[in-house]
Amino acid sequence: MTINAMGRRRSRTIAAIALLSVCALVFGSSDVVPPKAPSALGAPRFVDEAASAGIDHVYGGGFGHAVGGGAAVLDCDGDGKPDLYLSGGSGSAALYRNDSQVGGALRFTHLIGAATDLIGVNGAYPIDIDGDGITDIVVLRNGENVLLRGRGGCRFERANERWGLDLTASATTAFSATWEGAAMLPTLAFGNYVDPASNDPHHLCFDNEMVRPTANTQVYAPPIPLTPSWCALSMLFSDWNRSGRSDLRVSNDEQYYLPSDGQEQLWRVAPREAPSLYTADDGWVTVQIQGMGIASYDLTGDGYPEVFLTSQADNRLQTLTLGPSHPTYRDIGRRRGVNAAQPFTGGDTRPSTAWHDEFADVNNDSFIDLFIAKGNVTEQADYAQIDPSNLLLGQADGTFREAADAAGILNFYRGRGAALADFNLDGMLDLIVVNYGGPVRLWRNVGTGDAAHPRAMGNWLALRVLQSAPNVDAIGAWVEVRIGDRILRRELTVGGGHAGGQLGWVHFGIGDATGADIRIAWPGGETGPWLHAAANQFVTARRGSSDARPWSPNGG
């Protein structure tokens, strides 16, 4: 080897060492290890713990309650663990405090109280109405709807009179909420069902209603009818086009409208203006289904939410097609594998009946999954009686595959409301399902382990997003989690699903990544900086803060 060749070789070696040093500086200054190319994981194992957890509850009643059955998931005592408020139908609703040990078996205590043990409850949604940092509950009933003000320590008091809510008694089955401008209280939308006194084929349902607070007060003005109304079973305020304004999507039951009258709806809700329907002139495309549940998530990564609508037979997965200026959607459910039009097992080939729907990452692989609760309305002969719920696992190519049987949640109760939440704060999402005429089912997610030795499948982050009153939980914000060159996005909403929802930790699976960057697009248009967080942590992101602060279930 010549001297010149030796010199060139030594120069290349020095350059390589320098490059490695730079890489060490870049990656060593953070706990992020560049993730491998992401791959989808299989089903986690779920262990049935309803009985041992102390959950003994049945939602039931006649046909007037057959389309309800929601569950509200909230932290009512400030310990970070999700508690439960379960609808009861013709029986009493029930509040359960979460007494689970971190990482251990699930344990709940039934709390009896005059304010919460209401009869005729179809569903419930958690929301901090007055911005005091204590979660309240909106209770949907056959009869008067009730606002329960949280007082801390899982204590509640009736607050209809305090906040001036005065709604005509009806059968309420849907709810959503948003904050408009500088209002001191949220705008509330109530979706109502069949009016038994009506014989008008064009108006078989109670009118849906929206209430706004009186300017500069914490008192609601009289309700605004949202007509035409066609027996709403789900509602969702969403900033569908990222305009900074949340409009109201309503999913209606086709059984109670004429083909010439009814359809799914999207209401334009601008501050200080009367709500108005989007029409074909705006690009809205008519969809007529037995609409029962709404779930939204940015599946395509374009920054806008896809919308999943449950129904009887084909469910719908809609994506925006003409950009944000027109609410024009097309269905991509069949291509993605989420139509779930018939039972996937059990031998009943009649069409399915789907209710609650929810996007969440149950195996922490960073690919969003979809749970669909199913069950016949009552004894409808044209629809499947053996109709198990679906757990559809997201794949790397954007499709979904069935995993309910492999996950251990296969059953044939008539599912209604549900929730995926981390009840024991171990980073794995558990599952609760309210059944019509059957016991509530509660499953603990043990990952690839068993009940005695749970084992997580992938890494995760759980976020609380907070800002100053009145909208302390930043409803309407968009949360972005960046893993390598991928960004996961979720809008913070109150509403959707079927007859119930949750408020608290927002869960993201991040696969093999040892950390991720978080950014919040806050209500009102401000976008915060990217904040770094290490994997497998509970983290609080507060508006105006320069960091994402870890939270410990043992120390707060």
Side-chain angles (χ1 to χ4, degrees), residues 142-323:
N142 283 354
E144 182 193 33
N145 298 314
V146 175
L147 304 183
L148 294 178
R149 178 174 178 261
R151 299 173 56 211
C154 290
R155 294 171 299 134
F156 292 87
E157 64 183 12
R158 176 186 166 93
N160 289 40
E161 292 73 23
R162 180 189 187 97
W163 292 321
L165 184 72
D166 184 15
L167 296 180
T168 303
S170 59
T172 303
T173 47
F175 175 79
S176 191
T178 189
W179 269 260
E180 296 185 84
M184 298 177 66
L185 294 178
T187 294
L188 311 179
F190 294 85
N192 299 317
Y193 206 59
V194 177
D195 180 356
S198 176
N199 294 313
D200 181 355
H202 300 279
H203 195 187
L204 292 172
C205 313
F206 289 108
D207 285 340
N208 301 326
E209 296 175 298
M210 190 176 84
V211 292
R212 284 169 160 154
T214 302
N216 303 315
T217 74
Q218 286 195 330
V219 177
Y220 282 106
I224 302 167
L226 297 175
T227 54
S229 295
W230 297 304
C231 286
L233 285 174
S234 191
M235 290 177 150
L236 183 65
F237 275 110
S238 171
D239 186 2
W240 60 273
N241 61 355
R242 305 300 297 272
S243 66
R245 183 192 71 238
S246 291
D247 291 328
L248 180 65
R249 182 179 274 261
V250 183
S251 199
N252 297 302
D253 189 346
E254 185 179 24
Q255 183 172 341
Y256 296 101
Y257 58 75
L258 299 175
S260 59
D261 289 349
Q263 57 174 295
E264 300 292 281
Q265 295 170 301
L266 182 63
W267 291 86
R268 182 187 288 105
V269 182
R272 298 176 299 280
E273 295 181 13
S276 61
L277 278 172
Y278 286 92
T279 68
D281 291 339
D282 304 305
W284 180 251
V285 178
T286 297
V287 173
Q288 295 178 317
I289 58 174
Q290 286 96 349
M292 296 176 176
I294 304 173
S296 68
Y297 189 84
D298 179 13
L299 292 175
T300 62
D302 65 356
Y304 303 102
E306 276 63 48
V307 180
F308 189 78
L309 307 174
T310 55
S311 179
Q312 291 184 308
D314 277 354
N315 301 293
R316 306 293 179 91
L317 177 60
Q318 296 188 318
T319 190
L320 201 60
T321 59
L322 297 181

Side-chain angles (χ1 to χ4, degrees), residues 394-420:
Q395 305 300 297
D397 63 359
T399 62
F400 292 78
R401 67 175 182 84
E402 183 61 60
D405 197 357
I409 64 169
L410 179 64
N411 73 95
F412 301 105
Y413 287 109
R414 289 180 292 190
R416 292 296 190 265
L420 287 158

Side-chain angles (χ1 to χ4, degrees), residues 487-508:
I487 296 179
L488 312 178
R489 295 182 182 88
R490 182 182 286 278
E491 183 183 17
L492 302 186
T493 59
V494 173
H498 178 72
Q502 53 185 295
L503 183 66
W505 297 110
V506 184
H507 182 95
F508 289 87

Side-chain angles (χ1 to χ4, degrees), residues 311-315 339-344 348-354 374-376 382-384 386-388 390:
S311 179
Q312 291 184 308
D314 277 354
N315 301 293
N339 282 73
Q342 294 174 303
F344 70 90
D348 196 330
T349 60
R350 289 171 291 181
S352 282
T353 303
K374 286 185 173 179
N376 198 289
D382 292 336
Y383 295 93
I386 301 174
D387 198 8
N390 299 99

